[in-house]
Amino acid sequence: MSLAETSAPNLILTGFMGTGKSALGKYIAQLWDFEFADTDKIIQSETGRTIPEIFATDGEAAFRELEKKCVAEWLPPARAVIATGGGIVTIPGMAELLRKRGIVVTLFASPEEILRRTNIAKNRPLLETDGDPLERISTLLAAREQAYMNAGINVLTDRRSLHQLAQIVARIYKNASARNRERARRAG
Ligand code: S3P
């Protein structure tokens, strides 16, 4: 299959805040000539509200409901690289739902690297703390680790350039889409 096919499956990037989903997603989308989409942005444009506003007014559970709706109804059908919000994998049944929407890759980074990256781009209600930010990241990351590992094929981003990561992800994507096609062929 060539990446130019219009039916090429979506590439879905999951992972903790600051693991590089948006930066790598945009880079790959440009390289493959895919659309780039981001669940946070889709939710913002569908609701007309920012993520911090939704958290502050309605709380995290309401935001997770919007994420569920976003994955079920608002994603591009194919040929898109989709960066998901960092907590989406904590929603029960979400890993299976994501896998129906595309090939899922989970990005990992060390807490130190996450702190460095999220300090540059703020606006994350769940990382706001009066305590030690590194501890906050480590605790949340540990609580979610299993969900991230189960969600998709795991890639560590520390000390890897966008170019290197794009090559790794392209290999994963090609192998996974070939496997999916073979499975669909066998199923008739
Ligand atoms: C969240 C991650 C954020 C955003 C929201 C909650 C989380 O997305 O969806 O602030 O629970 O980890 P990014 O991973 O794009 O920062």
Side-chain angles (χ1 to χ4, degrees):
M1 183 203 68
S2 116
L3 290 176
E5 269 183 37
T6 45
S7 62
N10 290 330
L11 167 68
I12 300 180
L13 299 177
T14 63
F16 199 79
M17 294 168 263
T19 50
K21 294 164 292 185
S22 298
L24 181 62
K26 284 179 190 159
Y27 184 86
I28 292 178
Q30 199 178 23
L31 211 59
W32 297 1
D33 194 24
F34 274 30
E35 177 188 348
F36 174 74
D38 175 317
T39 57
D40 282 352
K41 298 258 161 57
I42 295 174
I43 290 169
Q44 288 183 165
S45 76
E46 290 286 338
T47 61
R49 301 158 76 202
T50 68
I51 306 301
E53 258 167 50
I54 298 170
F55 268 79
T57 318
D58 300 340
E60 183 175 345
F63 176 68
R64 300 295 172 213
E65 284 303 315
L66 288 169
E67 286 190 307
K68 238 193 270 180
K69 197 167 168 67
C70 178
V71 174
E73 298 175 22
W74 299 333
L75 293 186
R79 243 188 117 66
V81 182
I82 299 161
T84 59
I88 214 162
V89 298
T90 64
I91 300 171
M94 182 51 80
E96 294 70 28
L97 189 54
L98 286 175
R99 283 198 280 271
K100 289 194 184 135
R101 296 280 174 270
I103 309 247
V104 187
V105 170
T106 306
L107 304 181
F108 280 85
S110 62
E112 291 75 15
E113 186 60 28
I114 288 171
L115 178 63
R116 198 181 62 76
R117 294 182 190 159
T118 50
N119 260 339
I120 299 168
K122 294 218 181 265
N123 231 1
R124 268 117 171 171
L126 288 179
L127 291 187
E128 276 163 25
T129 173
D130 296 329
D132 177 5
L134 195 57
E135 203 174 296
R136 172 83 188 123
I137 290 170
S138 303
T139 308
L140 200 52
L141 189 56
R144 292 176 173 180
E145 195 162 37
Q146 200 57 52
Y148 288 129
M149 302 223 295
N150 292 339
I153 298 163
N154 298 183
V155 173
L156 180 65
T157 62
D158 283 23
R159 290 181 297 281
R160 282 177 166 158
S161 66
L162 288 177
H163 176 73
Q164 287 171 320
L165 288 166
Q167 285 181 328
I168 295 169
V169 172
R171 266 199 307 275
I172 293 172
Y173 177 90
K174 282 187 180 155
N175 289 338
S177 36
R179 265 200 311 277
N180 287 354
R181 272 199 316 281
E182 182 54 24
R183 218 175 283 137
R185 193 186 62 77
R186 284 211 193 118

